[in-house]
Amino acid sequence: MKLSLVLSTHPAQFEAVALKGDFDANVGKIARWGYDGVELAIRDPALIDAEQLVQSVEAQGLEVPAIGTGQAWGEDHLSLTSPDAEVRAAAIARLRSHIPLAARLDAVIIIGLLRGITPAGQTTTRSMDYFADAMQVCGEAAASEGVRFAIEPLNRYETDLIRSAEEGMAFLERLGLDNVGLLLDTFHMNIEEPSLTACFQACAARTFHVHLADSNRWYPGAGHLDFGEVVATLRECGYAGWLSGEFMPLPDADTAGRRAIAHMHSILRA
Ligand code: LER
Ligand code: MN
């Protein structure tokens, strides 16, 4: 398993991104600290210079395992399940616009908050139908480019649409697309899952990506989750993908980034 850290290409409100500010400087730090990759949170591919971005990441010898899309919800209020057909269409277009860069970087595209939250007056069933329709369109478009999507179950305080891995697996079954799987985030799992171990085991065949944060959403090692058990379970499951740090910049961004990799290396290399 390889380690990466989430980095936003632009300023954003989302709190669980350790590093903010100068992109190149942060990519350099992530490489120096010993991470193998950088997970990019991209609000809108139209706002970035993909060529320059790829160069700056490759110059540091880093891979990009995943692209996060949640800022389109947080900053631009797009949602795949909006009652407004124009907003849904814009959300689908935004999601599809990540495919070329994802194909180039061999990165999985994450679907977290972009699926939205059911608004008053709309049923959850209707939201899930919109979500399924959107994923059919995007999943099929990505398949022809060899790109995969990872749907992230999010805790109850962030969405009503797929909170548990069980709901996530049922949704994947409904979609029937091989290139759509799950992203499991230990922070959300700690809130929603009866057992982290049982959850990883149940989703083993469809886990495309993993986010690491401790119980308090600080860096791994700062809360009460047992990352030794997380790693042992993922190894037993045959997971050979990425462990990507997505946690708050506390006590400060650099300390969090450094302590996370020190903790994970002490486990992975034991
Ligand atoms: C994103 O990966 C995440 O975990 C959420 O809390 C917000 O999308
Ligand atoms: Mn996450």
Side-chain angles (χ1 to χ4, degrees):
M1 285 176 270
K2 292 196 256 189
L3 295 169
S4 58
L5 189 61
V6 175
L7 180 63
S8 186
T9 56
H10 287 82
Q13 290 167 39
F14 182 49
E15 60 173 13
V17 175
L19 293 168
K20 299 190 195 311
D22 186 280
F23 182 78
D24 282 340
N26 285 329
V27 170
K29 276 186 194 175
I30 291 169
R32 274 200 305 285
W33 293 337
Y35 287 90
D36 309 290
V38 57
E39 176 183 317
L40 299 175
I42 302 178
R43 173 175 165 183
D44 183 348
L47 298 175
I48 58 169
D49 180 338
E51 206 53 51
Q52 207 188 327
L53 182 144
V54 171
Q55 266 178 30
S56 110
V57 168
E58 285 180 355
Q60 297 295 337
L62 292 175
E63 293 178 63
V64 178
I67 294 172
T69 60
Q71 288 173 16
W73 184 83
E75 312 286 328
D76 298 324
H77 311 295
L78 298 185
S79 163
L80 296 171
T81 60
S82 168
D84 184 334
E86 275 183 28
V87 174
R88 291 199 305 278
I92 290 172
R94 180 68 62 85
L95 200 48
R96 290 185 64 164
S97 74
H98 288 277
I99 294 172
L101 183 61
R104 173 148 183 208
L105 294 166
D106 195 20
V108 67
I109 301 174
I110 297 169
I111 294 150
L113 287 168
L114 188 54
R115 65 179 170 276
I117 301 170
T118 303
Q122 181 167 293
T123 62
T124 305
T125 307
R126 170 58 65 90
S127 298
M128 290 303 287
D129 288 346
Y130 285 151
F131 190 20
D133 290 347
M135 288 316 303
Q136 286 293 347
V137 172
C138 295
E140 282 165 20
S144 56
E145 305 297 323
V147 169
R148 300 182 305 161
F149 285 103
I151 296 172
E152 180 177 22
L154 300 175
N155 74 73
R156 67 194 68 185
Y157 306 108
E158 297 189 29
T159 192
D160 60 317
L161 307 171
I162 307 184
R163 293 167 170 169
S164 68
E166 192 179 351
E167 290 171 305
M169 290 295 278
F171 189 64
L172 297 186
E173 185 85 13
R174 170 179 177 173
L175 293 177
L177 295 169
D178 288 345
N179 65 326
V180 184
L182 295 184
L183 155 54
L184 298 178
D185 180 326
T186 54
F187 170 72
H188 300 298
M189 292 166 78
N190 182 55
I191 296 171
E192 297 296 341
E193 304 295 340
S195 153
L196 268 62
T197 301
C199 175
F200 281 126
Q201 286 166 343
C203 302
R206 303 306 300 271
T207 303
F208 286 1
H209 195 57
V210 171
H211 275 167
L212 298 182
D214 218 318
S215 50
N216 45 9
R217 218 168 202 183
W218 282 48
Y219 58 86
H224 58 74
L225 294 188
D226 182 347
F227 287 94
E229 196 175 304
V230 166
V231 166
T233 305
L234 285 168
R235 279 185 175 143
E236 274 163 33
C237 292
Y239 180 75
W242 288 78
L243 303 173
S244 200
E246 184 191 54
F247 41 77
M248 297 192 296
L250 296 170
D252 62 79
D254 289 16
T255 306
R258 281 203 185 98
R259 286 189 186 164
I261 193 158
H263 190 64
M264 293 314 299
H265 273 167
S266 75
I267 293 165
L268 289 164
R269 295 172 174 177

